[in-house]
Each structure stands twice: as C-alpha cells, then as structure tokens.
Amino acid sequence: MQDSERIVFVDYIRVVACFLVMLVHASENFYAADASGLAGNVSMLANEANRFWVAFYDGGVARTCVPLFMVVSAFLLVPLKPGVGMGQFYKKRLLRVVPPMVIFMLLYTFLPLAWGGMSWEQSWADFKMLPFNFPSMAGHLWFMYPLIGLYLIIPVVSPWLEKASAKDERIFLGIFAFSTLLPWLHRFVSSELWGECFWNGFTMLWYCSGYLGYLVLAHYIRFHLDWDRNKRLKIGAVCFLIGAAFTGWSFWLKGVPGQAIETPMLEWSWEFCTPNVLLATFGAFLMFSCITGRKAPKFITEVSKLSFGMYLMHLFFLAPIAKMVIGGDAASPLVPVWLAIPLIAVLSYICCIVTTKLISLLPGSKWIVGC
C-alpha cells in the first residue's frame, strides 16, 4: 500500500493490536502451570494479584487483538478491486504472508537448539509436522491459518457483499452473533450440537460462524454504518467496556489461586468468536475509526508497516525478557505484577521494532518480515 493510500486509523489499529498480542503473551507467564511461559493445557494462578492483573490485562484490555487484525484485513480487502480475479488475489496475498510464515516456522523449529531451548528429537518432530501445523515453540502462529483461510474465502464472498443490501448483511451478522454462543454451548451443554457427531464435524451454523463474521462486520461498518463521529465514539466506548469487563471477569471467576485448572475452562469466554469478544472488538474498532487526519505520525506509519514481522518474531524476545523480569517466581516477580506484565510487553515491542526495521533494510526483506 502506498503512503497516499493509507487509512490513518487502520495504521493505529495495527500498531496497538500488535502490542496487545504481546500483552496477552506477557500475561500468560503469570498463569502458566509450567516453566514454558505460555499457558498449556493446565493453568495455575499463584495468588490474588496474578488473578486480578491477568484478568485485567489479558482479558479486559488485550483480548480484542486477534479480531481487530481480522477486521482490518477485511476492511482493506473487501470487496475486491475491479478486475482482480481469484488467482491474482491469491497470488498477491499469499506471497506476502506465506514465505515469512514458513521462514519463521523453520526458525522456531531449529533456532532454539542453539541455546538448548529444545531437544533435537523435538525439533525433528516439529519439522515433520510443518506441512500440517505450527511448531511447538510457536503457538502464536496458529493465527496464520485462519488468516489465510480468510484470504481464501474473500474472492468467494466479495461478489455477494457488493450486491447485498445493508439489511441482508445485518441478517447475516445476526446469525453470526448467535453463532458466537457455540463455544459456551460446547463447553457447558454438549460437545455435539446441531448435527455434530463423530462422522460430521460441521454444525448447522458452520458456514455462518468463525472469522467470516468479522469479515462481513468490517464490510458493513465501512459501507453501511453512517453514524457520525460522536455516536461512534460513545457507542464504541460502551460496547468495548461491557465486552472487556465481562471477558476479564470471566477469567477472574474461574481462576482460584493455588488450584490447577484446565486452561479451556479458565479461559471459557476468551475465544475470539464469543459474544463478549465480538462486542468489545466492535466497540474498539468504532473508537479507532474516530481517529481522523490525512496522515498519521511517521512513527505510527512505520510501526504499522513493520507489525507483521514484529508479530512473527516476538516470542523470541518475549520469553527471555519475561524470565528476566519475573526472576524465577511468578508469585513474586522482581517488580509488582501490575507493572511486570506491561513491562514485558513494552520491552518485547521495542526489541521487535528495532529488529524488524533492521531486517527490512536488507535486500529481499519482504520474504522474511513482509516489508
């Protein structure tokens, strides 16, 4: 995208959402039940301070990070520009994201061997699985698969969105909003709903659920939502605060200190397609859309351009920085937990900016960090 074509508030979203990703992963160090620094299948909170501040930062403040990236991608790409075919669209988008993704998958598979971060057996096992999923040391790369999936479906739904009325899109968004109850129903009612069974994994709402809903939401906001700036700001703030408050409270409710708990139960309302996260994301996006101006500050534009590479590499920095700040005891870090979580995220963010910028100066850097 040329600088003259940039949408100012979208650059702000990328800058903030990238930081929020690191805030999420910084928080995980304070409820992980092992020394990995990331929440695995089982979690444990050491004390009430960790319980509150993880709920606040990870749940309340940062949980919208992934949906915001999804909405931004759809906001910029849907509908397709006139004359752009499916093959042309796929070539442009996939060439931008897949090579850097593959390079970092290989780095996360083998680079930890250099400092004894993993065994050769684990590296080789991860390598053999690369055609099928992300490596064990790069759990954050899960995001790349639904993002690519969103790219794959954009040319299919784009013609419908060009012709659909605002009412048509509201009907779809209503169905999508209802589908965000599925994670709760799966967890608290039944693992099999509306046609799901061992020979059919596709529920009745399958084709109207997931990140496709955020894609349609982005299009609706851009082309049909005609609220003025004041209305967007007020409604956006209310929606974000309600959604974020529920998200934070849900973790606090389940996270009893000193008790091991299955992470999916602790994070029961933290999935990105749940009603509360949808509401908070809608609100956050509306508030960001109130940012006006022809041009963002140079720092914002520059970091926005670097954000993809920063996301890819950030765990290489975040893990050792977290160990340094925590000092070996998540119950009693070297600084209070209210400061430790954002400090880990800020230091990681700065390291990623500097490193991604240096790499971007190299020939062919777009194949490594996407810029």
Side-chain angles (χ1 to χ4, degrees), residues 157-345:
V157 300
S158 185
W160 173 72
L161 287 170
E162 289 186 81
K163 297 178 181 179
S165 66
K167 182 179 179 181
D168 291 340
E169 291 190 35
R170 285 197 297 270
I171 291 172
F172 179 89
L173 289 171
I175 299 171
F176 163 61
F178 180 72
S179 79
T180 61
L181 293 171
L182 278 170
W184 296 354
L185 296 175
H186 277 143
R187 194 153 288 140
F188 298 115
V189 178
S190 172
S191 61
E192 297 179 342
L193 295 166
W194 300 317
E196 289 177 304
C197 46
F198 77 84
W199 62 87
N200 173 51
F202 304 97
T203 179
M204 173 181 68
L205 296 177
W206 180 271
Y207 301 105
C208 299
S209 61
Y211 297 106
L212 174 61
Y214 284 111
L215 184 156
V216 177
L217 178 64
H219 185 273
Y220 183 84
I221 292 172
R222 183 166 192 175
F223 292 97
H224 299 301
L225 197 67
D226 58 358
W227 296 345
D228 61 31
R229 184 175 182 273
N230 187 52
K231 188 173 183 180
R232 285 182 180 230
L233 188 60
K234 289 181 178 178
I235 294 179
V238 171
C239 289
F240 175 78
L241 289 174
I242 293 173
F246 183 92
T247 309
W249 168 82
S250 68
F251 180 95
W252 181 89
L253 176 70
K254 291 289 185 179
V256 179
Q259 293 185 10
I261 182 172
E262 293 181 0
T263 302
M265 290 304 298
L266 181 61
E267 299 179 353
W268 67 275
S269 74
W270 279 19
E271 292 184 38
F272 299 112
C273 293
T274 50
N276 47 299
V277 177
L278 170 60
L279 185 65
T281 301
F282 174 67
F285 192 85
L286 285 185
M287 288 192 291
F288 274 111
S289 72
C290 295
I291 299 174
T292 58
R294 293 184 177 181
K295 190 176 182 180
K298 185 177 181 181
F299 173 79
I300 296 296
T301 302
E302 189 66 26
V303 175
S304 176
K305 293 176 181 178
L306 301 174
S307 59
F308 181 46
M310 293 168 60
Y311 155 77
L312 290 172
M313 72 175 63
H314 77 272
L315 283 189
F316 281 130
F317 293 105
L318 192 144
I321 288 172
K323 289 182 179 179
M324 178 184 68
V325 172
I326 292 172
D329 184 4
S332 182
L334 299 182
V335 296
V337 65
W338 65 264
L339 177 60
I341 292 175
L343 180 62
I344 293 167

Side-chain angles (χ1 to χ4, degrees), residues 24-46:
V24 164
H25 292 146
S27 301
E28 288 190 21
N29 287 273
F30 293 90
Y31 67 97
D34 55 40
S36 67
L38 296 177
N41 294 329
V42 178
S43 298
M44 181 181 291
L45 289 153

Side-chain angles (χ1 to χ4, degrees), residues 23-105:
L23 193 65
V24 164
H25 292 146
S27 301
E28 288 190 21
N29 287 273
F30 293 90
Y31 67 97
D34 55 40
S36 67
L38 296 177
N41 294 329
V42 178
S43 298
M44 181 181 291
L45 289 153
N47 50 45
E48 287 292 344
N50 290 14
R51 180 189 192 184
F52 176 83
W53 290 110
V54 170
F56 176 78
Y57 286 122
D58 197 339
V61 175
R63 193 45 43 176
T64 58
C65 56
V66 166
L68 281 174
F69 274 125
M70 293 295 189
V71 175
V72 161
S73 293
F75 189 85
L76 295 174
L77 298 175
V78 180
L80 296 184
K81 294 180 179 179
V84 176
M86 180 178 284
Q88 184 180 356
F89 177 81
Y90 285 167
K91 181 179 179 181
K92 182 176 181 180
R93 301 315 306 173
L94 297 182
L95 280 179
R96 182 178 184 272
V97 301
V98 173
M101 170 187 171
V102 171
I103 286 175
F104 273 90
M105 287 173 73

